[in-house]
Amino acid sequence: TVLDVRPPALTSISEPLPFFDGTTRYLCPYAQRAWITRNCKGLQDKIELVPIDLKNRPSWYKEKVYPLNKVPSLEHNGKVLGESLDLIKYIDTNFEGPPLFPSDPAKREFGEQLISHVNTFTSGIYSSFKGDVVQQTNGAAFDYLENALGKFDDGPFFLGQFSLADIAYVSFLERFQIVFSEIFKHDIMAGRPKLATWIQEANKIDGYKQTKVDREEYLEALKKKFLVL
């Protein structure tokens, strides 16, 4: 296991770093996807983590690194790439390390379906936070995942073994489990044994465990952004 040393986040007063040097810039569940992919591929020496303070980000990040001013972004082979779902596929395809997407056609097709659905899943959960969140999400949102986890029987994850499909969801499920448990006093795993096993097994994967959010820090940020308590 290679442990990550997390450097301090760059802010608006930070000097620009050398560009086109193969570094990933991250901070947020979207960036966490790229971080997990990098770890699970064993690329700690190939892709450097450079956190950005998203509330006080350097102006040069937009001007000189990624014009869309979002994270994550990846500088590789003289170009900058962004968008987390595209990036995790890019890292898996263009770097060494164990493949994170299966070769089996049926699994690849289902994996693509899952990845295509993830934005619908997350936006639906977040939009419910100001309403009756338990009532609005107790059915289809998490049941979709429970049903998807029954598609293959050769492992506890969406495609059997841990893959890009799991990485697409895991950083958000991590956060949703915290907020439903701590704020809404609701267990998203109740009545969903496959989802419970999925979360339990994901927490055993070193490449993911090292990226997990600080529980208290996340709750405080969430209350400020979404909730009036």
Side-chain angles (χ1 to χ4, degrees):
T1 300
V2 178
L3 297 179
D4 284 324
V5 177
R6 307 187 194 188
L10 302 179
T11 69
S12 59
I13 62 173
S14 300
E15 293 295 325
L17 297 176
F19 299 114
F20 303 113
D21 58 0
T23 61
T24 300
R25 312 192 183 284
Y26 76 96
L27 184 63
C28 75
Y30 300 98
Q32 189 179 358
R33 288 170 172 163
W35 188 2
I36 297 166
T37 305
R38 169 254 205 187
N39 287 358
C40 290
K41 297 282 286 185
L43 298 169
Q44 288 88 341
D45 294 333
K46 302 289 185 181
I47 299 177
E48 180 184 353
L49 302 177
V50 182
I52 298 287
D53 185 338
L54 297 181
K55 296 180 180 179
N56 188 29
R57 68 189 75 188
S59 61
W60 49 258
Y61 180 72
K62 178 179 181 179
E63 295 168 1
K64 298 181 179 181
V65 180
Y66 192 45
L68 295 181
N69 205 25
K70 299 191 295 183
V71 296
S73 68
L74 174 71
E75 298 163 6
H76 184 240
N77 287 343
K79 59 183 178 180
V80 178
L81 307 99
E83 302 304 323
S84 63
L85 294 177
D86 293 335
L87 267 185
I88 63 175
K89 294 178 182 179
Y90 181 89
I91 293 170
D92 189 40
T93 301
N94 291 276
F95 288 83
E96 61 190 30
L100 295 174
F101 212 54
S103 58
D104 178 81
K107 289 187 175 184
R108 291 185 70 87
E109 181 180 4
F110 190 59
E112 291 289 359
Q113 291 177 16
L114 286 165
I115 292 171
S116 296
H117 180 73
V118 68
N119 288 338
T120 299
F121 170 76
T122 56
S123 62
I125 299 293
Y126 279 127
S127 67
S128 73
F129 279 0
K130 292 186 179 180
D132 186 344
V133 64
V134 174
Q135 179 65 32
Q136 291 181 46
T137 62
N138 197 34
F142 294 111
D143 285 347
Y144 174 88
L145 303 185
E146 180 71 13
N147 292 332
L149 286 164
K151 179 75 170 178
F152 301 102
D153 60 4
D154 57 338
F157 301 107
F158 287 122
L159 307 182
Q161 305 306 306
F162 193 72
S163 72
L164 296 182
D166 303 290
I167 292 172
Y169 284 86
V170 70
S171 59
F172 287 94
L173 262 297
E174 173 188 338
R175 289 157 172 79
F176 293 153
Q177 186 182 23
I178 293 172
V179 70
F180 274 81
S181 174
E182 295 293 332
I183 295 178
F184 301 114
K185 309 304 178 185
H186 179 73
D187 182 4
I188 64 172
M189 297 182 292
R192 301 183 181 97
K194 293 183 180 67
L195 183 60
T197 298
W198 183 89
I199 292 173
Q200 180 182 28
E201 293 302 313
N203 282 319
K204 297 178 182 178
I205 296 174
D206 287 335
Y208 162 59
K209 286 195 300 183
Q210 296 173 21
T211 74
K212 294 183 70 171
V213 296
D214 179 273
R215 190 180 186 92
E216 296 305 319
E217 184 179 344
Y218 172 69
L219 281 170
E220 187 61 30
L222 184 78
K223 290 175 184 178
K224 291 179 180 178
K225 186 171 184 179
F226 289 104
L227 305 173
V228 179
L229 296 179

